[in-house]
Amino acid sequence: MKVVLALARRPDLWPAARRFVPTGWWRRWPPVPLPSRQYLRFRHETMYGADSRLVPDDLVRYLEWCREMARRAR
């Protein structure tokens, strides 16, 4: 829940987070624009290892980095 709150406080990062939302997310139940559990598990394990918790500030920093990389690519 802390991760969701961290992202909710930063609407400027929502476009960067959108890139992780699967196509056709509204066709699955529940219709919530979230990445698949398998993708989240993979990203989490490659960043922290198998037995740890996601740090909300890390997500914010990662999305800031994604946004900056997208700007540079233009």
Side-chain angles (χ1 to χ4, degrees):
M1 188 62 166
K2 290 180 181 181
V3 174
V4 173
L5 291 174
L7 188 55
R9 290 185 196 118
R10 295 290 308 271
D12 59 309
L13 295 177
W14 294 355
R18 191 181 78 194
R19 66 186 294 216
F20 302 109
V21 175
T23 305
W25 61 267
W26 60 89
R27 295 183 194 130
R28 292 186 317 205
W29 191 258
V32 181
L34 295 174
S36 71
R37 284 185 184 268
Q38 294 85 4
Y39 176 76
L40 291 176
R41 189 176 310 117
F42 167 76
R43 294 299 305 155
H44 183 266
E45 188 168 335
T46 57
M47 185 167 183
Y48 295 106
D51 299 322
S52 62
R53 291 187 168 231
L54 178 63
V55 178
D57 290 341
D58 287 348
L59 174 65
V60 169
R61 272 186 255 134
Y62 176 67
L63 291 174
E64 287 172 341
W65 179 83
C66 289
R67 181 180 59 188
E68 182 61 30
M69 292 301 105
R71 285 181 184 163
R72 290 181 185 191
R74 291 183 202 159

